[in-house]
Amino acid sequence: MRIVMCILILFFSWSCHQREDKSSCEDSIGVYTFANYPIGTAINFEKLYTDSLYTEIGTKQFNSITAENIFKAEYLHPKETEFNWVQADSLVNFCTENNKRIHGHTLIWDEQLPTWIPEFKGDSADWQELMKNHIQTIVHHFKEKVKGWDVVNEAFNEDGSLKKTGWLIKIGDDYMEKAFNYTHAADTSALLFYNDYKLESNPVKRKSVITYLNKLRNKGVKIDGIGLQMHISTSKPTVSEIASAINEIVQNGYLVHLSELDISINPEGKEIELAKELFVKQAELLGAIVSAYNHVPNKYQYGITFFGICDKYTWIRSYLKRQDYPLLYDDNYLPKPAYCTLKEALKSK
Ligand code: G3I
């Protein structure tokens, strides 16, 4: 009997130690509470109402919400004369009830459009009216609820040239200027952003974007900030490249939004063994990025938004079909080392 008791005591202390290991980075307090700028996440709307743990973590850990998909044209404006507010209003209500900022992603992009837009037949003036109606109907609907909009998303090529999107071809080179002006006219309280990928790693693209936006701003167009999407990996870009990008944006007087942050540990899509070192490297990189962001003057800190809550729902798996683990929580909703370093880096600001 005594031997059995000893074995049970040993097992119990071992299993507690295991939980302690797993919960060494405990997440009982929302990580956003350690920051003096918003810590956000992109929300997969479907999971918000079907996965209670997803919603519990999303509600507790973040104070800014971006819709991963349902604020895009194909969901909000499915037909030329039809807007669908149901899901987006439900997300806005969730944010209001839980005192969370909502960031609008995105008004003008050349992806995830409803079929009627690329099929629309009209001259430049007709297309301009289409874009104005699209933008102003949506922005009016969410007036003073959506704090900031990605007015235009991903409009530049890697070489710094303007993408020949349908919007540019149909409306002309000044379509972005019009888009920002239409948005501002519909909600003068909203902060207006240009959002793009690889601005943190491609100085040619970044310089071209900033030069272009500065020209618009010098004409009186309201442009408040730039979204660095930050779909990065543990292999690139370096922290110093990211810090240079952030500083260049601040020096040009724009708010900086790390708008879609995820850190791939498997950018080449290989069959990988999940060694702890991979997650330590991911955590160290995140800690260094947050430390760099902490040095941004607070008036330019729009916040850091992760592009999802847990690895199992990352777009990298569903859209890129790649085995990856880029976010703060693992497939079992346990906080990863990256969560720990985020919390420590925010506390040490
Ligand atoms: O909603 C349909 C569903 O009804 C259908 O059953 C399913 C299978 O066909 O598709 C679902 O739509 C998918 C949608 O995500 C919602 O899950 C689309 O096929 C899929 O293309 C779409 O992918 C999104 C992608 O943008 C589109 O380019 C990703 O979820 C989303 O994370 C990703 O987000 C973009 C940002 O908006 C801009 N920056 C880059 C980022 C990653 O590409």
Side-chain angles (χ1 to χ4, degrees), residues 330-345:
D330 69 17
D331 287 15
N332 301 309
Y333 289 115
L334 287 174
K336 294 157 61 180
Y339 178 94
C340 308
T341 48
L342 170 64
K343 187 164 77 169
E344 291 314 309

PDB file of all heavy atoms in Angstrom, residues 330-345:
ATOM      1  N   ASP A 330      -1.035  27.607 -29.937  1.00  0.00           N
ATOM      2  CA  ASP A 330      -0.854  26.391 -30.731  1.00  0.00           C
ATOM      3  C   ASP A 330      -2.208  25.748 -31.055  1.00  0.00           C
ATOM      4  O   ASP A 330      -3.259  26.295 -30.733  1.00  0.00           O
ATOM      5  CB  ASP A 330       0.086  25.420 -30.011  1.00  0.00           C
ATOM      6  CG  ASP A 330      -0.534  24.821 -28.745  1.00  0.00           C
ATOM      7  OD1 ASP A 330      -1.783  24.886 -28.579  1.00  0.00           O
ATOM      8  OD2 ASP A 330       0.227  24.295 -27.921  1.00  0.00           O
ATOM      9  N   ASP A 331      -2.158  24.567 -31.668  1.00  0.00           N
ATOM     10  CA  ASP A 331      -3.394  23.912 -32.126  1.00  0.00           C
ATOM     11  C   ASP A 331      -4.298  23.501 -30.974  1.00  0.00           C
ATOM     12  O   ASP A 331      -5.458  23.200 -31.170  1.00  0.00           O
ATOM     13  CB  ASP A 331      -3.058  22.683 -32.990  1.00  0.00           C
ATOM     14  CG  ASP A 331      -2.528  23.099 -34.359  1.00  0.00           C
ATOM     15  OD1 ASP A 331      -2.170  24.284 -34.505  1.00  0.00           O
ATOM     16  OD2 ASP A 331      -2.490  22.251 -35.269  1.00  0.00           O
ATOM     17  N   ASN A 332      -3.730  23.458 -29.761  1.00  0.00           N
ATOM     18  CA  ASN A 332      -4.525  23.099 -28.577  1.00  0.00           C
ATOM     19  C   ASN A 332      -4.838  24.325 -27.721  1.00  0.00           C
ATOM     20  O   ASN A 332      -5.134  24.203 -26.528  1.00  0.00           O
ATOM     21  CB  ASN A 332      -3.768  22.046 -27.745  1.00  0.00           C
ATOM     22  CG  ASN A 332      -3.479  20.800 -28.558  1.00  0.00           C
ATOM     23  OD1 ASN A 332      -4.397  20.247 -29.180  1.00  0.00           O
ATOM     24  ND2 ASN A 332      -2.228  20.410 -28.638  1.00  0.00           N
ATOM     25  N   TYR A 333      -4.712  25.488 -28.318  1.00  0.00           N
ATOM     26  CA  TYR A 333      -5.008  26.746 -27.615  1.00  0.00           C
ATOM     27  C   TYR A 333      -4.097  26.965 -26.408  1.00  0.00           C
ATOM     28  O   TYR A 333      -4.505  27.621 -25.441  1.00  0.00           O
ATOM     29  CB  TYR A 333      -6.473  26.797 -27.179  1.00  0.00           C
ATOM     30  CG  TYR A 333      -7.434  26.978 -28.321  1.00  0.00           C
ATOM     31  CD1 TYR A 333      -8.345  25.991 -28.651  1.00  0.00           C
ATOM     32  CD2 TYR A 333      -7.409  28.143 -29.089  1.00  0.00           C
ATOM     33  CE1 TYR A 333      -9.216  26.153 -29.715  1.00  0.00           C
ATOM     34  CE2 TYR A 333      -8.291  28.313 -30.153  1.00  0.00           C
ATOM     35  CZ  TYR A 333      -9.191  27.327 -30.452  1.00  0.00           C
ATOM     36  OH  TYR A 333     -10.057  27.491 -31.512  1.00  0.00           O
ATOM     37  N   LEU A 334      -2.886  26.414 -26.459  1.00  0.00           N
ATOM     38  CA  LEU A 334      -1.914  26.744 -25.401  1.00  0.00           C
ATOM     39  C   LEU A 334      -1.025  27.877 -25.883  1.00  0.00           C
ATOM     40  O   LEU A 334      -0.618  27.883 -27.054  1.00  0.00           O
ATOM     41  CB  LEU A 334      -1.060  25.513 -25.064  1.00  0.00           C
ATOM     42  CG  LEU A 334      -1.786  24.417 -24.278  1.00  0.00           C
ATOM     43  CD1 LEU A 334      -0.898  23.188 -24.140  1.00  0.00           C
ATOM     44  CD2 LEU A 334      -2.211  24.930 -22.899  1.00  0.00           C
ATOM     45  N   PRO A 335      -0.728  28.843 -25.014  1.00  0.00           N
ATOM     46  CA  PRO A 335       0.165  29.931 -25.429  1.00  0.00           C
ATOM     47  C   PRO A 335       1.556  29.383 -25.734  1.00  0.00           C
ATOM     48  O   PRO A 335       2.066  28.545 -25.004  1.00  0.00           O
ATOM     49  CB  PRO A 335       0.178  30.858 -24.218  1.00  0.00           C
ATOM     50  CG  PRO A 335      -0.282  30.029 -23.067  1.00  0.00           C
ATOM     51  CD  PRO A 335      -1.163  28.969 -23.622  1.00  0.00           C
ATOM     52  N   LYS A 336       2.141  29.883 -26.815  1.00  0.00           N
ATOM     53  CA  LYS A 336       3.461  29.430 -27.262  1.00  0.00           C
ATOM     54  C   LYS A 336       4.533  30.342 -26.695  1.00  0.00           C
ATOM     55  O   LYS A 336       4.230  31.408 -26.152  1.00  0.00           O
ATOM     56  CB  LYS A 336       3.509  29.415 -28.800  1.00  0.00           C
ATOM     57  CG  LYS A 336       2.568  28.385 -29.422  1.00  0.00           C
ATOM     58  CD  LYS A 336       2.203  28.733 -30.868  1.00  0.00           C
ATOM     59  CE  LYS A 336       3.398  28.792 -31.773  1.00  0.00           C
ATOM     60  NZ  LYS A 336       3.003  29.137 -33.157  1.00  0.00           N
ATOM     61  N   PRO A 337       5.816  29.972 -26.862  1.00  0.00           N
ATOM     62  CA  PRO A 337       6.900  30.867 -26.397  1.00  0.00           C
ATOM     63  C   PRO A 337       6.754  32.290 -26.948  1.00  0.00           C
ATOM     64  O   PRO A 337       7.052  33.267 -26.258  1.00  0.00           O
ATOM     65  CB  PRO A 337       8.154  30.176 -26.930  1.00  0.00           C
ATOM     66  CG  PRO A 337       7.795  28.720 -26.941  1.00  0.00           C
ATOM     67  CD  PRO A 337       6.340  28.678 -27.354  1.00  0.00           C
ATOM     68  N   ALA A 338       6.215  32.434 -28.157  1.00  0.00           N
ATOM     69  CA  ALA A 338       6.031  33.781 -28.732  1.00  0.00           C
ATOM     70  C   ALA A 338       5.089  34.616 -27.884  1.00  0.00           C
ATOM     71  O   ALA A 338       5.264  35.829 -27.746  1.00  0.00           O
ATOM     72  CB  ALA A 338       5.502  33.675 -30.163  1.00  0.00           C
ATOM     73  N   TYR A 339       4.085  33.965 -27.294  1.00  0.00           N
ATOM     74  CA  TYR A 339       3.157  34.685 -26.414  1.00  0.00           C
ATOM     75  C   TYR A 339       3.925  35.230 -25.204  1.00  0.00           C
ATOM     76  O   TYR A 339       3.767  36.387 -24.812  1.00  0.00           O
ATOM     77  CB  TYR A 339       2.022  33.764 -25.955  1.00  0.00           C
ATOM     78  CG  TYR A 339       1.048  34.429 -25.008  1.00  0.00           C
ATOM     79  CD1 TYR A 339      -0.113  35.022 -25.481  1.00  0.00           C
ATOM     80  CD2 TYR A 339       1.311  34.486 -23.636  1.00  0.00           C
ATOM     81  CE1 TYR A 339      -0.999  35.650 -24.617  1.00  0.00           C
ATOM     82  CE2 TYR A 339       0.442  35.123 -22.765  1.00  0.00           C
ATOM     83  CZ  TYR A 339      -0.708  35.701 -23.262  1.00  0.00           C
ATOM     84  OH  TYR A 339      -1.578  36.334 -22.405  1.00  0.00           O
ATOM     85  N   CYS A 340       4.838  34.373 -24.670  1.00  0.00           N
ATOM     86  CA  CYS A 340       5.623  34.792 -23.489  1.00  0.00           C
ATOM     87  C   CYS A 340       6.452  36.025 -23.813  1.00  0.00           C
ATOM     88  O   CYS A 340       6.466  37.006 -23.086  1.00  0.00           O
ATOM     89  CB  CYS A 340       6.606  33.713 -23.067  1.00  0.00           C
ATOM     90  SG  CYS A 340       5.919  32.121 -22.850  1.00  0.00           S
ATOM     91  N   THR A 341       7.173  35.946 -24.953  1.00  0.00           N
ATOM     92  CA  THR A 341       8.089  37.068 -25.260  1.00  0.00           C
ATOM     93  C   THR A 341       7.295  38.320 -25.610  1.00  0.00           C
ATOM     94  O   THR A 341       7.743  39.426 -25.332  1.00  0.00           O
ATOM     95  CB  THR A 341       9.016  36.729 -26.443  1.00  0.00           C
ATOM     96  OG1 THR A 341       8.247  36.186 -27.506  1.00  0.00           O
ATOM     97  CG2 THR A 341      10.093  35.779 -26.029  1.00  0.00           C
ATOM     98  N   LEU A 342       6.106  38.139 -26.203  1.00  0.00           N
ATOM     99  CA  LEU A 342       5.262  39.319 -26.458  1.00  0.00           C
ATOM    100  C   LEU A 342       4.933  39.990 -25.141  1.00  0.00           C
ATOM    101  O   LEU A 342       5.123  41.203 -24.965  1.00  0.00           O
ATOM    102  CB  LEU A 342       3.977  38.910 -27.186  1.00  0.00           C
ATOM    103  CG  LEU A 342       2.895  39.986 -27.299  1.00  0.00           C
ATOM    104  CD1 LEU A 342       3.371  41.172 -28.139  1.00  0.00           C
ATOM    105  CD2 LEU A 342       1.608  39.390 -27.892  1.00  0.00           C
ATOM    106  N   LYS A 343       4.498  39.198 -24.186  1.00  0.00           N
ATOM    107  CA  LYS A 343       4.102  39.751 -22.883  1.00  0.00           C
ATOM    108  C   LYS A 343       5.300  40.423 -22.209  1.00  0.00           C
ATOM    109  O   LYS A 343       5.213  41.555 -21.735  1.00  0.00           O
ATOM    110  CB  LYS A 343       3.553  38.614 -22.004  1.00  0.00           C
ATOM    111  CG  LYS A 343       2.963  39.082 -20.686  1.00  0.00           C
ATOM    112  CD  LYS A 343       2.106  38.004 -20.037  1.00  0.00           C
ATOM    113  CE  LYS A 343       2.944  36.941 -19.380  1.00  0.00           C
ATOM    114  NZ  LYS A 343       2.136  36.028 -18.526  1.00  0.00           N
ATOM    115  N   GLU A 344       6.452  39.738 -22.214  1.00  0.00           N
ATOM    116  CA  GLU A 344       7.656  40.306 -21.557  1.00  0.00           C
ATOM    117  C   GLU A 344       8.106  41.588 -22.263  1.00  0.00           C
ATOM    118  O   GLU A 344       8.451  42.569 -21.616  1.00  0.00           O
ATOM    119  CB  GLU A 344       8.786  39.275 -21.529  1.00  0.00           C
ATOM    120  CG  GLU A 344       8.525  38.092 -20.593  1.00  0.00           C
ATOM    121  CD  GLU A 344       7.996  38.531 -19.231  1.00  0.00           C
ATOM    122  OE1 GLU A 344       8.619  39.421 -18.604  1.00  0.00           O
ATOM    123  OE2 GLU A 344       6.925  38.032 -18.810  1.00  0.00           O
ATOM    124  N   ALA A 345       8.055  41.585 -23.593  1.00  0.00           N
ATOM    125  CA  ALA A 345       8.510  42.773 -24.347  1.00  0.00           C
ATOM    126  C   ALA A 345       7.581  43.959 -24.103  1.00  0.00           C
ATOM    127  O   ALA A 345       8.010  45.105 -24.022  1.00  0.00           O
ATOM    128  CB  ALA A 345       8.561  42.444 -25.842  1.00  0.00           C
TER     129      ALA A 345
END
